[in-house]
Amino acid sequence: MIEVGSLKARMESTPGGLKTEEYFVNMGPQHPSTHGVLRLVLKMDGETVREVIPVLGYIHRSIEKIAEHLNGRQIVHLTDRMDYLSSAMNNWAVSLAVEEALQIELNPRIETIRTIVAELERIQSHLLWWGVLGIDLGAVTTFFYGFRDREMITDILEETTGARLTLNYIQPGGLMFDIHPHFVKRVKEVLAHLKIKICEYETLLSENVILQNRLRNVGILTSEKAISMGSTGPVLRGSGVALDLRKQKPYGVYGSVEFDVPVGSVGDSWDRYWVRVEEIRQSMRIIEQLIDNIPEGKFMVMKPAKKLTLPKKSYFGQVETARGILGVYIQGCEKEEPHRVHFRSPNFNNLWVITQIAPGGKMADLVATLSTLDLVIPDIDR
Amino acid sequence: MSEREATIFSLIQSCCSEVILNEGSGSFSIQVPSEKLVFVMEHLKKSESLAFVMLLDHLAVDWKEMGEFELVYQLYSFKLDQRIEVTTKIPRAIPNAHSVSRIWPIAEWQEREVYDLFGIYYINHPDLRRLFLEDDWKGFPLRKDYEDPFMLELVKE
Amino acid sequence: MSWEIQTIADRAAGATSMAEVGAYLVLGVVLGLAIVSLMGLILNYSERKICAHIQCRLGPMRVGFHGLLQPIADGVKLLFKEDISPRNADRLVYIMAPFISLLATFLIVVTVPFSPLVQIADLNIGVVYVAAVSGFGVLGVLLAGWSSNNKWSMMGAMRAGAQMVSYELSAVLALLTVVLLSQSLKLSEVVLSQEQGWWIFRAPVVGLVACVIFFVASCAEINRTPFDLAEGESELTAGFHTEYSGLRFALFFLAEFVNMFLVSAMLVTFFLGGWMPFHLGGLTGFNEVMDLLPPGIWFLGKVTVVVLLFMWVRWTFPRLRIDQVMNLEWKILLPIGFANLFLTSIVVLLDLYLF
Amino acid sequence: MGFLSREKISGTQVVGDKRISTVQAPRPQRKSFFFNLYFGTLSLLKGMRVTARYFFRPSTWVTQQYPENRQELKMFERYRAELTLKYDENGYHNCTGCKICDSACPNNSIKVIDREGPSGKQEIDRYIWRMDTCTFCNLCVMVCPHDALEMTGRFESSVLDRRLLVYQLNRYAGATKKNIEKSKDSESKDLLLKSFESRTFYEGAIPLSTSDEKGIFDGRI
């Protein structure tokens, strides 16, 4: 096969020969496959991407500044709006930090329900990602299948928490509500339903030759690069590093359940794809182990209006969201309002990976890579 | 402080004796003088027994009363399965710090974020521009003395 | 049963007065226009309904019974929309491009044999004409992308150009197979040659292979998923028609849908016997039962099936990448096409027909 | 056979001193030309079977036709769409105007205005809720000590002007029934009851829009 690069060099070396020119395109902020208001400035050579320059800030809401005026309980609802697809996990991260600061001991019921809700949230997030990946690669139908099944999970969450997306369910010291009486029954129904549907997903997309060709060896992220870029979650695991906070520093009741960490081998888009699909199964496995024996107890261990005075110390709460490690840094100063709040968002680090792995690929590869990185833009901008 | 953290701390202290433990943190945290920061960071990453290969997070805290910015780096080591918080303090009047983007590439963007919101100038940074805000934005919003006529304050009686 | 073929052009040629010739001329044009616009509406509606049902949705439900009037409502809406042209666009080309696109489809409608008696013109080099004119359709897309002065449109147009020209090759190779089998370039004779059985069944394997190749190639030619790189919504926002709005956009849309119908009609004509009822060699009794349905119904039925197939494919698969599209053509379809052509010549030489 | 092997490739990885059980992602296999052609086509046909199944089964279609199905559409009882004061069958609410919800609200959407009652006690004058800034976090309901608030599922609240999204929630101003019953002093009780009787009823939530306010009503009166 003739290398395009060498051909180009030959063309340019011949006097009066063909000349090609690199050009810039703006992908975004309004582009169907940037999933929000992300803007990528692309330096293109024909169809080939030469450089990617992300431009951020289109949805910067200064959550960190707002949080400096709110107390520990009020911050939680802001985190819903960061990574809106894993809002339960975001709430949990803040709650972890605040609970660590105030040394609140939780009962096993709270921990179990938190874990189940977080895993349900993870499944719905991955289902949405699966559907959107289809749309990015041109298979519009998968989008509807993914959303249809995700809808069942959001219905469960809605019944228990009163909201579909911005749950604000996990609060410092417990939960906003107790679980709904129908919760257990409906979760079981959904799990049974999903088990069948996942096989369908495999036939429709995973085994499809076109999808495999589109994802195989596209956007290869080696494990060294992934680590040095600080990427976490399925992106890092796709590169073959089994870093999962649920295993590493078990919070909730993750220490007592059995599950495997799916990892990739090459670190290309296919590995990231497969890791996410397998994570749905593993999450289902976790829920299955927990759903039958939710312990009895209170769902809130402190008075709902109790003052949360944070000591003058810094706390770092971490959870594994659907996209990686979310860290919440809270610096207290003997007041209800924290001195400084910082969110270490997984998407922020995962986004910059695109500058390293997209150049050299085709335009369509960039879309596939972006899609498998599974970015949620409000989480990057905060 | 657990036993393992004590060994890690002694390992770090053997390379740079000015490193002290940071008491103002809920987790394992060390404080480094700002001029030694890059040296210690390089040691933390390159040393085989430590191998803090991942820079999880970087942020700044504005201590207006003390006239200081506190820079916080969260590092993670796969080898030790340990997270460490490295902090350093720089004067608020001259907010200059050395960039660690040569050690961890991701620091390039994390430092851009801190520059954008705190106005901390990173020496040897390859591309120090604003990240979130517009290029002609005035002031650095996360500083405690930042004032914006359009900012909506919560009005509490 | 012998079929009497009489096209509108034939009738015009046999006319006695100039007025009669004129009448036939008008009839031909009106028939062509009617087919184009009617097919646009029907296919638009059915595409939306079918994709909706595949996707567990209901599709258009509000305008008319089950949304039957939706395409008309959309057409009216597009008619009244502001017609924007970009500031630095090449005005003349920009305005012309959608018409060129539609013209190409219109020119093919002329040759489609709907039934022995309904055909506008029956050229004796029909196959060559179809191949040539369908290549003309690329021009509209290319010009649209070029004149819009938009990088996304340009990319879409270039993709479309490369892809459509390449796949033309395979499509024509598949057509050549049938030309070999039926030993004629005239579309009506191609249909008549299938009186013993359709080529997809009658020619052992080679007919089927050629049919599949033609199906894939024409899928690429009319820019439908998995080959919709020219529009590639998630990559190029809308590809070559990014800048088009209002009526001009509607024309592109119409051309796309009518193209789908035409490609199906061609596939039916060449491989599924056109308007010819389902015959099996010398089984006279069976053939006569089949002949009870009029040929026009046979034709439309077959076209419906193929169009459904096109839609089914479109709403199932992801899109290919540009280099994979080229690989598929040059490394897979073309070699198979050539081998198939060679095998067909053997079939023809040795008279190896199934029945 | 095929592009993907079905068997599960388990393994372990050591991070720190923990052994982590992993599942390895299978690689899509590509072999000879005809292998790829056969299994490629097969995979496409399998995919088409899935979509065809849905096409022919109307029971799997999930579309809800919203404005038509208003009668059947029922939101879950916890659904958070509109903040309301709970009213009993006599039209009394429990709000004492203690302002706990006001201070718990993260974005100042609630403004409780008190007044001095006839007995000298604080009582509610107006309870103002701004839906336009509300994030429906439910904290007000959670912290309310008198169980006076609830979130209801009336989600059709779109209006054409943002100012119309400012509501007054209480239908009457004055002390709660409970407080009146509690007061032992019969004189003050009479006084309270008197004020209670003269209360003015409003129907439903009342948008507080005043066109002369510059821009948007900010809750400060």
Side-chain angles (χ1 to χ4, degrees), chain C residues 73-349:
Chain C
D74 282 352
V76 172
K77 181 199 78 178
L78 284 172
L79 210 64
F80 285 111
K81 269 187 132 179
E82 190 187 353
D83 190 14
I84 305 162
S85 65
R87 195 160 149 216
N88 292 326
D90 191 335
R91 281 282 299 177
L92 181 70
V93 182
Y94 180 80
I95 292 168
M96 253 164 55
F99 293 102
I100 292 177
S101 235
L102 199 63
L103 186 67
T105 62
F106 192 71
L107 285 178
I108 303 180
V109 173
V110 169
T111 60
V112 176
F114 291 93
S115 88
L117 301 175
V118 185
Q119 190 178 6
I120 298 172
D122 188 18
L123 309 174
N124 51 5
I125 50 158
V127 180
V128 180
Y129 174 82
V130 166
V133 173
S134 66
F136 190 57
V138 188
L139 199 62
V141 174
L142 262 178
L143 289 181
W146 169 260
S147 62
S148 298
N149 193 30
N150 176 331
K151 284 165 188 163
W152 297 111
S153 304
M154 183 68 191
M155 267 167 88
M158 288 301 138
R159 280 178 176 191
Q163 172 194 330
M164 285 158 111
V165 169
S166 309
Y167 276 84
E168 198 79 46
L169 216 62
S170 280
V172 173
L173 265 182
L175 293 190
L176 273 185
T177 322
V178 177
V179 171
L180 261 184
L181 291 166
S182 61
Q183 313 200 342
S184 171
L185 289 168
K186 207 172 179 177
L187 291 185
S188 59
E189 279 176 24
V190 169
V191 175
L192 278 178
S193 71
Q194 304 181 60
E195 200 170 358
Q196 299 299 310
W198 305 344
W199 285 126
I200 189 172
F201 302 122
R202 192 167 169 228
V205 186
V206 286
L208 182 66
V209 172
C211 180
V212 171
I213 289 177
F214 186 79
F215 182 80
V216 176
S218 50
C219 208
E221 247 185 277
I222 55 173
N223 280 327
R224 291 174 67 81
T225 323
F227 303 100
D228 65 340
L229 296 107
E231 285 146 49
E233 193 195 304
S234 56
E235 289 158 27
L236 306 178
T237 58
F240 65 90
H241 57 64
T242 307
E243 299 289 355
Y244 282 88
S245 64
L247 192 59
R248 284 189 233 294
F249 173 73
L251 288 182
F252 269 124
F253 220 65
L254 191 65
E256 191 186 312
F257 279 116
V258 179
N259 265 336
M260 182 166 67
F261 164 72
L262 288 175
V263 156
S264 321
M266 284 303 143
L267 193 138
V268 166
T269 308
F270 284 97
F271 299 99
L272 298 175
W275 43 258
M276 187 66 71
F278 186 64
H279 286 178
L280 274 176
L283 292 172
T284 340
F286 177 76
N287 293 349
E288 272 169 11
V289 171
M290 287 291 155
D291 286 345
L292 288 177
L293 267 183
I297 302 288
W298 273 102
F299 180 80
L300 286 180
K302 283 184 253 184
V303 167
T304 311
V305 169
V306 177
V307 164
L308 282 179
L309 200 61
F310 269 117
M311 289 177 181
W312 185 13
V313 164
R314 168 165 186 177
W315 296 108
T316 308
F317 296 142
R319 181 186 307 127
L320 274 80
R321 201 169 58 203
I322 182 73
D323 57 324
Q324 289 164 354
V325 169
M326 290 297 148
N327 265 350
L328 178 68
E329 161 64 13
W330 296 100
K331 291 186 179 168
I332 299 176
L333 288 188
L334 205 60
I336 295 178
F338 270 119
N340 195 45
L341 193 63
F342 179 71
L343 288 175
T344 314
S345 55
I346 293 174
V347 167
V348 174
L349 270 179

Side-chain angles (χ1 to χ4, degrees), chain D residues 103-152:
Chain D
S103 61
C105 183
N107 33 40
N108 231 11
S109 302
I110 293 173
K111 187 86 186 164
V112 179
I113 299 159
D114 280 356
R115 68 172 188 200
E116 206 168 290
S119 64
K121 259 188 131 184
Q122 291 287 309
E123 57 184 36
I124 180 127
D125 183 15
R126 306 173 90 183
Y127 192 106
I128 292 160
W129 173 58
R130 301 187 51 174
M131 193 193 237
D132 55 345
T133 57
C134 183
T135 53
F136 306 97
C137 64
N138 208 38
L139 282 179
C140 44
V141 180
M142 191 173 98
V143 298
C144 183
H146 305 290
D147 196 23
L149 290 165
E150 72 175 338
M151 284 278 189
T152 56

Side-chain angles (χ1 to χ4, degrees), chain C residues 8 26-36 106 109 114 118-120:
Chain C
I8 293 176
V26 170
L27 180 68
V29 172
V30 167
L31 192 65
L33 278 177
I35 289 165
V36 166
F106 192 71
V109 173
F114 291 93
V118 185
Q119 190 178 6
I120 298 172

Side-chain angles (χ1 to χ4, degrees), chain A residues 109-308:
Chain A
R109 181 178 178 83
I110 295 173
E111 299 276 24
T112 313
I113 295 174
R114 280 182 178 188
T115 311
I116 295 171
V117 170
E119 288 308 310
L120 281 175
E121 191 86 352
R122 192 185 311 276
I123 295 176
Q124 66 95 4
S125 166
H126 284 342
L127 283 176
L128 185 135
W129 158 83
W130 182 83
V132 171
L133 177 118
I135 250 192
D136 280 350
L137 300 183
V140 188
T141 304
T142 61
F143 180 74
F144 291 94
Y145 293 173
F147 257 75
R148 177 199 58 199
D149 297 338
R150 173 178 173 270
E151 200 72 1
M152 305 181 78
I153 295 175
T154 41
D155 272 351
I156 296 177
L157 294 174
E158 187 189 338
E159 195 175 27
T160 287
T161 72
R164 302 175 76 78
L165 213 57
T166 53
L167 304 183
N168 193 26
Y169 182 56
I170 297 174
Q171 291 281 318
L175 307 162
M176 176 76 83
F177 306 101
D178 202 351
I179 51 169
H180 197 271
H182 299 159
F183 183 77
V184 174
K185 193 186 88 200
R186 291 178 60 128
V187 167
K188 279 182 187 161
E189 278 168 17
V190 164
L191 289 188
H193 173 81
L194 268 182
K195 257 192 198 142
I196 305 163
K197 291 300 162 193
I198 283 202
C199 297
E200 202 169 77
Y201 295 169
E202 297 264 287
T203 16
L204 190 61
L205 218 51
S206 307
E207 286 176 5
N208 190 305
V209 62
I210 302 174
L211 179 104
Q212 289 177 2
N213 283 347
R214 282 294 302 275
L215 296 183
R216 214 165 45 113
N217 299 335
V218 164
I220 295 177
L221 178 70
T222 57
S223 56
E224 291 83 32
K225 211 177 239 174
I227 290 169
S228 73
M229 295 300 287
S231 56
T232 46
V235 177
L236 181 63
R237 292 197 279 275
S239 299
V241 184
L243 177 70
D244 192 330
L245 271 186
R246 294 176 291 169
K247 284 269 188 198
Q248 219 68 38
K249 300 242 174 337
Y251 52 96
V253 289
Y254 285 118
S256 62
V257 289
E258 259 181 44
F259 64 101
D260 298 329
V261 180
V263 290
S265 48
V266 180
D268 56 359
S269 296
W270 166 260
D271 279 340
R272 290 191 285 273
Y273 171 86
W274 193 87
V275 163
R276 284 214 174 81
V277 174
E278 181 65 25
E279 266 186 21
I280 298 177
R281 287 209 194 90
Q282 298 297 344
S283 293
M284 281 159 64
R285 217 173 124 190
I286 294 173
I287 297 172
E288 267 170 7
Q289 290 171 47
L290 295 174
I291 194 69
D292 276 326
N293 31 28
I294 300 172
E296 290 299 314
K298 282 199 286 190
F299 65 90
M300 189 68 158
V301 293
M302 61 180 191
K303 272 190 187 150
K306 192 192 164 204
K307 269 196 176 227
L308 306 173

Side-chain angles (χ1 to χ4, degrees), chain A residues 56-57 64-65 68 227 229 231 241 243 248 313-314 316 318 329 331 339-340 342 344 352 380 382, chain B residues 24-26 54 56-57 59-60 62-63 74 76 78 81 83 106 109 113 118 131-132 141 143-144:
Chain A
L56 300 178
E64 290 174 12
K65 183 83 178 175
E68 285 175 13
I227 290 169
M229 295 300 287
S231 56
V241 184
L243 177 70
Q248 219 68 38
K313 258 189 166 187
S314 68
F316 194 68
Q318 312 178 74
Y329 180 93
Q331 170 78 51
H339 185 72
R340 168 99 168 97
H342 177 79
R344 182 247 178 244
W352 297 103
I380 300 171
R382 274 160 286 147
Chain B
S25 171
M54 193 190 240
L56 270 178
D57 194 11
L59 67 132
D62 183 5
W63 295 104
Q74 308 276 1
Y76 180 77
F78 285 89
D81 183 21
R83 182 173 60 82
I106 187 64
W109 294 286
E113 186 197 334
F118 280 92
L131 186 64
F132 294 138
R143 287 189 180 189
K144 288 283 172 192

